[in-house]
Amino acid sequence: AVTHELKTPIASIRLYLETLQRRPVEESQRQDFYKIMLADSDRLLATVEQVLKAGQLGQRHRQQNRTAIDLVALLTDCIAVTLRRHHLPPDSIVLEPVDVHPHVIGLPEDLRTALLNLLDNAVKYSPEGVHVRCALAIDRATWVALTITDTGVGLPPDQFKRIFKRFYRVPGRPLSKIKGTGLGLFLVRTIARQHGGNATATSSGAGRGSTITLTLPLATTKLQSSLYLNLCPV
């Protein structure tokens, strides 16, 4: 799957470049070719970044500077990025109202990667229309749980844990045209665990959507913040 995701956009870009080189092309068609090649370049870059990130996370042993992160602000920004990336109307991805802005201690870049992967996954597996709801809740005053629920293809119960494995993709889905490397949810769970949390999945079954829950330690006191700063990667 990863090899396919790397080779396909390269082959597509090469085909359009050869066409432009060999024969005259009307300006309108030339602009269409440029758009397709740019989209293929974005797809290739996204795949390379996922592979590199997976390797980076797997080899991380050094302590890195962690900061307090406003999860609502980060999630709001990631939703805006996802809407633009997939050309979706604003009501396609909704963040339910929150009374407080929970903070966590962590690496902003990694948590941003996790949230974008969750949102992209929800969009990708909603072929009949994107209706994604995001919610934040405080659990037992020490944890914050982010749930991202879609109305897409859903999951059978025996796949709830498997989908977080590196390179794993659910077999037998009637969605062969959906592109992916099987790294997105692996990155989500790895990042969550390196921040002292976890990622889990639930679904009511095929065609009934899925919910992915990202749970992280809540930064509520200076003592907790000091402890989270010293967390070792899992």
Side-chain angles (χ1 to χ4, degrees):
V2 175
T3 301
H4 178 78
E5 286 299 301
L6 291 171
K7 293 175 67 175
T8 300
I10 293 174
S12 174
I13 292 170
R14 182 180 180 85
L15 175 64
Y16 285 107
L17 287 175
E18 288 176 345
T19 302
L20 290 169
Q21 184 183 48
R22 289 175 179 174
R23 62 180 177 83
V25 177
E26 293 183 2
E27 183 60 26
S28 60
Q29 191 175 28
R30 182 187 298 271
Q31 293 301 321
D32 289 339
F33 285 1
Y34 290 154
K35 290 179 182 178
I36 294 171
M37 287 190 288
L38 284 171
D40 284 332
S41 297
D42 289 341
R43 175 181 167 187
L44 179 61
L45 179 60
T47 301
V48 171
E49 286 179 342
Q50 276 204 330
V51 173
L52 292 176
K53 192 71 173 179
Q56 176 190 12
L57 290 174
Q59 298 175 8
R60 178 176 296 152
H61 297 293
R62 65 187 185 281
Q63 179 62 43
Q64 294 181 290
N65 293 327
R66 302 188 177 211
T67 60
I69 301 167
D70 183 337
L71 208 52
V72 174
L74 180 60
L75 179 58
T76 300
D77 180 61
C78 289
I79 289 173
V81 170
T82 304
L83 290 172
R84 290 196 302 270
R85 180 181 294 170
H86 295 279
H87 310 290
L88 296 170
D91 60 353
S92 298
I93 305 176
V94 176
L95 173 58
E96 295 183 356
V98 293
D99 297 325
V100 296
H101 280 223
H103 285 67
V104 297
I105 300 298
L107 303 172
E109 179 186 348
D110 284 1
L111 288 177
R112 180 181 176 85
T113 295
L115 297 186
L116 286 174
N117 272 295
L118 285 175
L119 292 168
D120 282 340
N121 206 64
V123 171
K124 183 167 62 175
Y125 288 103
S126 298
E128 302 301 325
V130 179
H131 305 284
V132 178
R133 299 195 69 83
C134 307
L136 286 163
I138 306 300
D139 182 18
R140 292 169 290 178
T142 57
W143 299 89
V144 55
L146 164 62
T147 57
I148 295 183
T149 302
D150 62 61
T151 58
V153 298
L155 287 167
D158 64 346
Q159 299 295 320
F160 291 172
K161 294 183 179 179
R162 295 178 183 178
I163 59 173
F164 294 102
K165 294 181 179 180
R166 189 196 304 255
F167 297 125
Y168 184 81
R169 302 197 73 196
V170 177
R173 279 188 172 181
L175 298 168
S176 58
K177 294 183 179 180
I178 295 179
K179 309 302 180 183
T181 60
L183 284 173
L185 291 179
F186 165 78
L187 290 173
V188 170
R189 187 183 63 176
T190 301
I191 291 168
R193 289 183 173 179
Q194 288 182 345
H195 284 74
N198 200 8
T200 57
T202 58
S203 174
S204 297
R208 297 184 178 182
S210 303
T211 296
I212 307 294
T213 301
L214 178 67
T215 306
L216 297 168
L218 185 64
T220 55
T221 67
K222 292 182 179 179
L223 175 60
Q224 287 177 317
S225 296
S226 177
L227 290 173
Y228 299 155
L229 282 169
N230 293 315
L231 282 172
C232 296
V234 175

